[in-house]
Amino acid sequence: MKQKIIMKLLTGMAGLGMVLGVATAYATPEQDKQDLIKFYASKFPNVKLEDYVYGALALDPDSKAQYDAIMEFPPFDSQVEAGRKMWETPFKNGKTYADCLPNGGKQIAGNYPMFDEAKGKVVTLEDVVNDCRVANGEAPFKISDPKTIGLLGSYMRTLSDGMIMNIKVQGPKAVAAYEDGKRTFFSRRGQLNFACASCHVQNAGNHLRSELISPVVGQAVHWPVFRGGDTLVTLQNRYTGCFKQVRAVPPAEDSAAMNNLEYFHSAMSNGLPMKASVFRK
Amino acid sequence: MRKLHQLFTACALGAITLAGSALAAEPAKDLTGKQLAFDKTKGNCLACHAMPTVPDAESPGTYGPPLIAMSARYPDKAKLRAQIWDATVANPSSSMIPFGKHGVLTEAEIDKVTDFVYGL
């Protein structure tokens, strides 16, 4: 997506949040990501690719210094610790999460969301945790609930720290799900008429009032975040917040629309290291 | 539909930079053009535009160009109003909100904002 193509994408979507048949020749996720990286490199020639994991902080040394200071003694440590207890507490049948997740739950977060051929749809790591609970006779958690699956995730995802994001899009159904997520990302919607890309591509590095806007590349690797130091926000919570900001009705979290968005969105961070959990203001 | 948007906005999560609660502003207060331009639930122009000649236009955003010398640059006031009513006519990939087309501001409110901006 060179500048021209990005603008074309947004242009094609002018109108009331509806996009019909956006004319995008199919590009692989790797091409899409490289085009974005090229686009950002022309805007931010001094930002190194590995620093995109810091989001807007990579564009503002003062905020990054504050972030580094906070991350030395994270105010959310006790919550991650509570997540560790959840992770270690066996189910009623004596089994644990480690028993039923791939690779004992270690170094796996960068594979999710994943296209599950058997189910014919995208599954998130949260879906896999819930499947694991159900298979062991436990009730599934409420999706995105900060007090349960959110907390568990804040610890569980640390077991994948340093893993390289590696979202695979193979086969026609996976490609269709990826394209659906990409379309959501580039479609204008809501009374205020924004696409995700209006802010996180077109205006990355600009200020919206006093908020510095982060680029999409690197956004997916560091979840959950603790906003204000102690308010846990999952990745899909954040999507919901951004939808509402433009007065759009957000799709339900864990719906196909949200999971496909997370699939596309995460693929744009392929190659960058995972890191849970981090501070955000 | 307008109501629905507003409802969802009213319960938005976290720090809201762009769309504050429109419900709170519903009682027909008679806002001036400047107030409408500054109000986060109305024009919120400062989210994107600096106004270098207005002393209390603090910490503006940078999505759009500074609004200055407008009457010189828009001798035809109708053109200025049209830009505010729907910026995507002049620039289809504009990230400016189509305030009139999407009913974010009423026609009367757009008139007042236009007068205010024309004076910048």
Side-chain angles (χ1 to χ4, degrees), chain A residues 82-161:
Chain A
R84 188 174 66 82
K85 291 223 174 73
M86 290 176 73
W87 172 259
E88 287 169 356
T89 305
F91 304 126
K92 288 192 250 4
N93 68 7
K95 295 267 180 54
T96 63
Y97 291 108
D99 294 328
C100 74
L101 289 176
N103 199 34
K106 295 190 175 129
Q107 300 294 308
I108 60 168
N111 294 328
Y112 293 92
M114 181 187 281
F115 192 82
D116 183 323
E117 286 292 341
K119 291 186 171 169
K121 63 177 186 181
V122 169
V123 296
T124 64
L125 185 53
E126 279 67 23
D127 292 330
V128 176
V129 165
N130 266 344
D131 284 353
C132 171
R133 290 181 59 81
V134 171
N136 284 285
E138 305 281 332
F141 287 132
K142 189 170 148 271
I143 283 299
S144 290
D145 175 20
K147 294 203 175 64
T148 56
I149 199 160
L151 271 191
L152 176 69
S154 76
Y155 173 74
M156 179 180 70
R157 287 174 178 274
T158 65
L159 302 174
S160 299
D161 279 358

Side-chain angles (χ1 to χ4, degrees), chain A residues 241-253:
Chain A
C242 282
F243 275 108
K244 286 178 175 171
Q245 223 181 170
V246 302
R247 304 186 186 171
V249 178
E253 295 182 17

Side-chain angles (χ1 to χ4, degrees), chain B residues 33-100:
Chain B
K34 179 180 173 186
Q35 284 168 332
L36 287 165
F38 276 41
D39 192 320
K40 287 197 175 121
T41 68
K42 293 288 188 179
N44 199 13
C45 314
L46 291 174
C48 299
H49 293 283
M51 299 180 189
T53 54
V54 182
D56 57 337
E58 280 162 10
S59 48
T62 56
Y63 275 41
L67 299 179
I68 190 166
M70 299 312 287
S71 56
R73 289 169 47 220
Y74 284 82
D76 181 0
K77 208 189 218 181
K79 275 211 167 141
L80 179 61
R81 190 183 193 281
Q83 167 71 21
I84 299 168
W85 199 84
D86 181 8
T88 63
V89 172
N91 172 15
S93 56
S94 179
S95 44
M96 177 160 158
I97 297 162
F99 288 97

Side-chain angles (χ1 to χ4, degrees), chain A residues 7 10-11 14-16 188 190-194 199 202-203 206-211 213 227 244-245 247 249-250, chain B residues 2 5 8-9 11-12 15 17-19 41 46-48 58-63 92-95 97-98 102-104:
Chain A
M7 293 314 160
L10 285 163
T11 308
L16 234 172
R188 288 183 189 265
Q191 191 188 25
L192 304 190
N193 203 37
F194 284 91
C199 288
Q202 200 178 1
N203 283 291
N206 269 333
H207 281 87
L208 185 62
R209 199 74 201 244
S210 52
E211 288 281 344
I213 301 289
R227 290 190 73 179
K244 286 178 175 171
Q245 223 181 170
R247 304 186 186 171
V249 178
Chain B
R2 177 98 197 272
H5 285 309
F8 276 98
T9 313
C11 51
T17 48
L18 199 57
T41 68
L46 291 174
C48 299
E58 280 162 10
S59 48
T62 56
Y63 275 41
S93 56
S94 179
S95 44
I97 297 162
H102 279 201
V104 179

Side-chain angles (χ1 to χ4, degrees), chain A residues 17-279:
Chain A
M18 297 295 298
V19 223
L20 302 164
V22 180
T24 44
Y26 173 64
T28 65
E30 183 58 23
Q31 278 169 310
D32 286 340
K33 189 192 73 180
Q34 289 304 339
D35 288 345
L36 282 169
I37 289 174
K38 233 184 273 162
F39 173 75
Y40 292 132
S42 65
K43 283 184 140 186
F44 321 119
N46 300 322
V47 177
K48 297 194 208 82
L49 183 56
E50 64 262 31
D51 287 343
Y52 279 77
V53 299
Y54 298 114
L57 301 165
L59 310 175
D60 179 5
D62 284 350
S63 306
K64 174 64 168 50
Q66 264 176 24
Y67 166 90
D68 288 337
I70 291 167
M71 289 298 286
E72 271 182 46
F73 302 100
F76 48 83
D77 263 357
S78 62
Q79 296 192 59
V80 179
E81 186 55 24
R84 188 174 66 82
K85 291 223 174 73
M86 290 176 73
W87 172 259
E88 287 169 356
T89 305
F91 304 126
K92 288 192 250 4
N93 68 7
K95 295 267 180 54
T96 63
Y97 291 108
D99 294 328
C100 74
L101 289 176
N103 199 34
K106 295 190 175 129
Q107 300 294 308
I108 60 168
N111 294 328
Y112 293 92
M114 181 187 281
F115 192 82
D116 183 323
E117 286 292 341
K119 291 186 171 169
K121 63 177 186 181
V122 169
V123 296
T124 64
L125 185 53
E126 279 67 23
D127 292 330
V128 176
V129 165
N130 266 344
D131 284 353
C132 171
R133 290 181 59 81
V134 171
N136 284 285
E138 305 281 332
F141 287 132
K142 189 170 148 271
I143 283 299
S144 290
D145 175 20
K147 294 203 175 64
T148 56
I149 199 160
L151 271 191
L152 176 69
S154 76
Y155 173 74
M156 179 180 70
R157 287 174 178 274
T158 65
L159 302 174
S160 299
D161 279 358
M163 180 185 180
I164 299 302
M165 181 75 93
N166 182 27
I167 305 301
K168 296 201 174 81
V169 182
Q170 284 157 354
K173 284 182 171 171
V175 167
Y178 172 87
E179 288 292 313
D180 180 62
K182 178 171 160 184
R183 200 156 46 235
T184 299
F185 191 83
F186 283 98
S187 311
R188 288 183 189 265
R189 62 168 57 73
Q191 191 188 25
L192 304 190
N193 203 37
F194 284 91
C196 309
S198 311
C199 288
H200 295 294
V201 180
Q202 200 178 1
N203 283 291
N206 269 333
H207 281 87
L208 185 62
R209 199 74 201 244
S210 52
E211 288 281 344
L212 184 56
I213 301 289
S214 56
V216 58
V217 171
Q219 271 185 343
V221 295
H222 52 72
W223 295 84
V225 300
F226 287 89
R227 290 190 73 179
D230 58 4
T231 304
L232 190 151
V233 176
T234 66
L235 183 54
Q236 291 201 3
N237 291 159
R238 180 76 234 201
Y239 296 166
T240 299
C242 282
F243 275 108
K244 286 178 175 171
Q245 223 181 170
V246 302
R247 304 186 186 171
V249 178
E253 295 182 17
D254 201 39
S255 62
M258 277 292 203
N259 291 347
N260 291 346
L261 174 60
E262 187 178 330
Y263 192 42
F264 163 78
H265 185 247
S266 299
M268 294 305 99
S269 293
N270 269 350
L272 292 169
M274 309 294 291
K275 166 92 178 91
S277 307
V278 303
F279 166 82

